[in-house]
């Protein structure tokens, strides 16, 4: 038995392991996300894929780690989305030691976005705190407000007219992953928004998840024009991470028991979870 970083040579075996642990997701799902991880930029000094437990030359446990460095509130932060922790039952004791090891970076803010409800007390004992308590399924096109704005859809590259946008790299990366990236041009400047594709109502109805904005107040302010643009592309609703009611948005609070957690020096804002599992691996 040994613990080590996952390498590209391990991807097939790790994908097989995770497909056994998460039976609703096939091996092809894990391979797609791991290959995206192999191609994307990762901050220096941090694992590209995460860590694994190996026994008899095969993976028996793994925790995926999605590291990203980006600007938040005017400072460069490093975040790590802990994702898809699974250990074969026979090695459960070693699995607890694995997660303790991966949390050792004091300068990193770790986030856990999809813990099962029964694991949340365990996560809280590990020092994690909730920053979101459920989702608001809203219809932004119904929001009030008629502020004159211009919307730009970024499909590949940010155009020269928007070159001053600080989030240029973030926007282009997420557009390449299939997200809907919109920039609102208002009287006071540019305001970027990133929406990842999702489905609701037993995965039958297409919607989007707000995964990046500078502040939730920005989304409320521009909800009307953003919602109408999304409506034209067949997405009438938006999922928004919330920690209570959001005045100005028409919707319904769902997934009340699906908390999102963080541990570290730079807590995420609501509406600020770029470069995470819902983008890299998909819904």
């Amino acid at each position: 038995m040994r613990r080590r970083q996952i390498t590209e040579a391990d991807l097939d075996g790790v994908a097989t392991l995770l497909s056994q642990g998460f039976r609703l997701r096939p091996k092809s799902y894990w391979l797609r996300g791991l290959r995206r991880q192999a191609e994307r930029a990762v901050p220096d000094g941090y694992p590209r894929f995460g860590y694994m437990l190996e026994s008899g030359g095969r993976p028996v446990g793994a925790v995926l780690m999605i590291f990203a460095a980006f600007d938040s509130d005017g400072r460069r932060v490093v975040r790590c989305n802990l994702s898809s922790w699974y250990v074969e039952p026979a090695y459960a004791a070693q699995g607890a030691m694995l997660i303790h090891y991966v949390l050792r970076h004091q300068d990193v803010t770790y986030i856990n976005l999809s813990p099962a409800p029964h694991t949340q007390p365990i996560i809280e004992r590990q020092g994690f705190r909730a920053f979101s308590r459920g989702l608001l399924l809203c219809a932004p096109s119904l929001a009030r407000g008629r502020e004159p704005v211009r919307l730009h859809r970024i499909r590949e590259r940010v155009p020269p007219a928007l070159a001053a946008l600080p989030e240029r790299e973030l926007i282009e990366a997420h557009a390449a992953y299939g997200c809907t990236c919109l920039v609102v041009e208002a009287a006071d400047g540019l305001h970027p928004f990133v929406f990842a594709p999702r489905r609701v109502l037993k995965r039958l109805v297409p919607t989007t998840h707000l995964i990046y904005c500078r502040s939730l107040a920005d989304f409320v302010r521009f909800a009307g024009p953003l919602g109408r643009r999304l409506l034209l592309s067949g997405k009438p609703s938006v999922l928004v991470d919330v920690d209570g009611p959001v005045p100005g948005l028409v919707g319904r609070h769902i997934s009340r028991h699906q908390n999102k957690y963080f541990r570290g020096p730079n807590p995420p804002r609501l509406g600020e979870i770029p470069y995470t599992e819902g983008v890299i691996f998909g819904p």
Side-chain angles (χ1 to χ4, degrees):
M1 166 70 67
R2 65 169 178 155
R3 176 196 64 221
R4 64 175 177 83
Q5 283 193 33
I6 299 169
T7 69
E8 287 199 53
D10 303 312
L11 298 189
D12 189 79
V14 168
T16 298
L17 174 73
L18 293 176
S19 65
Q20 294 168 353
F22 300 89
R23 297 187 181 277
L24 294 179
R25 294 174 175 174
K27 181 177 178 179
S28 58
Y29 169 88
W30 300 107
L31 283 174
R32 182 188 65 170
L34 289 167
R35 287 167 181 157
R36 283 182 168 180
Q37 276 286 81
E39 296 169 355
R40 62 181 292 268
V42 174
D44 291 341
Y46 298 103
R48 175 167 294 279
F49 304 103
Y51 286 91
M52 59 180 279
L53 294 174
E54 184 180 60
S55 179
R58 69 179 184 90
V60 296
V63 55
L64 303 184
M65 306 173 73
I66 305 174
F67 280 92
F70 59 95
D71 292 331
S72 177
D73 294 329
R75 57 185 172 179
R76 197 72 169 171
V77 302
V78 176
R79 291 214 188 121
C80 174
N81 178 192
L82 295 175
S83 173
S84 312
W85 174 33
Y86 175 71
V87 179
E88 291 183 358
Y91 301 92
Q94 291 88 344
M97 296 174 62
L98 174 65
I99 199 67
H100 178 76
Y101 178 77
V102 304
L103 293 173
R104 71 191 188 282
H105 298 287
Q106 298 300 312
D107 58 332
V108 171
T109 296
Y110 296 92
I111 55 177
N112 190 328
L113 302 180
S114 55
H118 73 276
T119 68
Q120 292 179 17
I122 300 172
I123 292 168
E124 291 170 1
R125 288 197 293 270
Q126 293 170 342
F128 283 82
R129 290 181 289 164
F131 69 91
S132 170
R133 300 179 186 274
L135 291 161
L136 180 70
L137 179 64
C138 68
S141 61
L142 300 179
R144 297 180 179 179
R146 298 291 177 179
E147 181 179 348
V149 298
R150 182 181 179 188
L151 262 67
H152 303 268
R153 170 76 185 271
I154 310 302
R155 298 185 183 276
E156 293 182 2
R157 300 296 179 188
V158 172
L162 307 180
L165 190 68
E167 294 91 347
R168 179 173 183 166
E169 180 180 335
L170 184 152
I171 294 292
E172 292 180 347
H174 286 75
Y177 289 134
C179 294
T180 300
C181 300
L182 299 173
V183 178
V184 175
E185 184 177 357
D188 61 348
L190 303 174
H191 303 267
F193 299 86
V194 178
F195 302 90
R198 296 288 185 271
R199 287 184 175 270
V200 292
L201 301 179
K202 298 183 179 180
R203 301 184 182 274
L204 297 176
V205 180
T207 185
T208 58
H209 185 188
L210 175 64
I211 62 165
Y212 183 80
C213 61
R214 291 176 183 167
S215 73
L216 201 54
D218 272 1
F219 179 67
V220 174
R221 175 185 172 187
F222 301 116
L226 288 169
R228 288 186 284 276
R229 175 60 68 89
L230 292 169
L231 185 60
L232 290 174
S233 61
K235 298 178 177 66
S237 61
V238 174
L239 291 165
V240 181
D241 294 303
V242 295
D243 195 22
V246 183
L249 293 180
V250 178
R252 177 185 177 187
H253 197 176
I254 64 174
S255 302
R256 294 177 183 270
H257 301 294
Q258 184 61 72
N259 293 348
K260 292 179 171 62
Y261 288 91
F262 83 95
R263 168 178 154 166
N266 299 294
R269 298 188 309 269
L270 294 172
E272 189 202 33
I273 51 170
Y275 301 107
T276 49
E277 59 193 36
V279 173
I280 306 298
F281 283 85

